[in-house]
Amino acid sequence: MNYKGIKSYEDACKVLGVQPISENAVATFPAEDRKSMLAYHKLTIIARAINGGWKPDWNNRSQYKYYPVFYYENAGLSSASTFNAASSTLAGVGSRLCFQTEAMSDYAAATFADLYTDFYCLPASVEKEESQQSNKQPGDFLKMATDIIETQLQPLAQEKKTRGVVLIACDTDTTDEKGESATGAIIGIVGNGKALAHGVAELMTRKESAPLVKQATELIAMQRLQERIKQEGAKFLAELFTQQEK
């Protein structure tokens, strides 16, 4: 494949046959580091794909490696030139982000300038980003859970026929289509049925799961009771009182 056909991180993943990762993969790191770490991963994959199997040999003093050099403007990074290195050890660029040719380096700088900005530049306001995160609607949590199932858990479970994954994500502070308070839930079930059955059985029978199982059972009973009252109304209540008198 011509490297100029690689126009996105996802394109590079396809070339290498790897699964793209989501932003959730760096969620455990400090807020000010997440963009940079995610960008570095993406740039590493992109560089690897553009290089087409070529790897820099840092023991070879006659082999040139190329990487883009930027200067900073108010609007962000701007590509200034491409630097090359053979024998010198440089701290200005990671060895994974080197390219085989100057043309490849220039193409990466022009095409993926936003990722280089995320990698090199500290966000202007981490608090602003955190504020934006806190203002997200509850539905975003469930959407993120769905993304995790589709992009991470499903491929992981499908690697072997003996695997199964169940993910349960709930948010009790959501609203339904009418704007009324509701509980949102996403249940992802992927993989081998037998493995899944064993996992669920293990969850239901473990000692530490007993309070959870008890609460879930009571909740189901209450929901069924409410449904009967809603459907049968006074008739059901009369039958209930009659049974209590007996």
Side-chain angles (χ1 to χ4, degrees):
M1 178 181 178
N2 188 314
Y3 68 85
K4 291 186 178 179
I6 301 171
K7 300 184 181 298
S8 69
Y9 164 66
E10 288 73 19
D11 289 342
C13 288
K14 289 180 181 178
V15 170
L16 299 178
V18 299
Q19 186 72 26
I21 67 171
S22 69
E23 294 183 4
N24 300 319
V26 296
T28 57
F29 294 99
E32 63 267 26
D33 297 331
R34 292 171 194 165
K35 270 193 175 182
S36 177
M37 298 182 73
L38 185 62
Y40 178 66
H41 161 74
K42 291 183 176 182
L43 288 171
T44 299
I45 295 297
I46 289 166
R48 195 173 296 163
I50 289 176
N51 282 321
W54 175 85
K55 295 181 180 179
D57 182 359
W58 294 99
N59 293 317
N60 184 352
R61 292 177 177 270
S62 63
Q63 182 194 66
Y64 279 80
K65 301 90 176 168
Y66 300 83
Y67 65 91
V69 176
F70 300 87
Y71 63 87
Y72 186 80
E73 292 182 335
N74 290 335
L77 294 183
S78 293
S79 179
S81 62
T82 289
F83 194 86
N84 64 70
S87 59
S88 57
T89 300
L90 298 166
V93 62
S95 62
R96 295 178 185 270
L97 303 185
C98 290
F99 296 91
Q100 184 180 11
T101 68
E102 182 176 354
M104 289 179 174
S105 176
D106 289 342
Y107 176 78
T111 307
F112 303 102
D114 289 345
L115 284 177
Y116 278 104
T117 298
D118 288 345
F119 175 50
Y120 285 116
C121 301
L122 183 69
S125 175
V126 174
E127 284 115 3
K128 182 178 179 181
E129 290 187 358
E130 290 179 337
S131 174
Q132 290 173 345
Q133 291 289 331
S134 64
N135 289 333
K136 284 187 175 181
Q137 297 300 315
D140 290 340
F141 163 72
L142 299 177
K143 183 179 181 300
M144 289 174 66
T146 303
D147 290 341
I148 291 173
I149 295 169
E150 294 177 349
T151 63
Q152 298 183 48
L153 297 184
Q154 187 169 351
L156 186 65
Q158 290 176 343
E159 286 180 1
K160 291 186 69 175
K161 294 182 178 180
T162 56
R163 294 176 178 176
V165 177
V166 177
L167 182 144
I168 304 173
C170 294
D171 190 341
T172 58
D173 185 23
T174 60
T175 55
D176 58 20
E177 295 178 352
K178 298 179 180 179
E180 298 178 355
S181 179
T183 295
I186 294 293
I187 302 176
I189 303 175
V190 294
N192 179 273
K194 185 176 181 180
L196 290 166
H198 277 284
V200 173
E202 186 75 14
L203 171 66
M204 298 289 287
T205 56
R206 282 196 175 190
K207 183 179 180 181
E208 57 267 31
S209 301
L212 177 62
V213 173
K214 183 175 182 293
Q215 289 180 16
T217 303
E218 291 174 349
L219 180 61
I220 292 171
M222 182 61 66
Q223 289 174 341
R224 289 178 175 175
L225 179 61
Q226 291 174 343
E227 188 63 28
R228 282 199 64 184
I229 294 174
K230 183 178 179 180
Q231 291 178 352
E232 301 178 22
K235 178 183 177 183
F236 171 72
L237 291 175
E239 291 178 358
L240 184 62
F241 290 136
T242 301
Q243 291 176 357
Q244 289 179 344
E245 290 176 357
K246 292 179 179 180

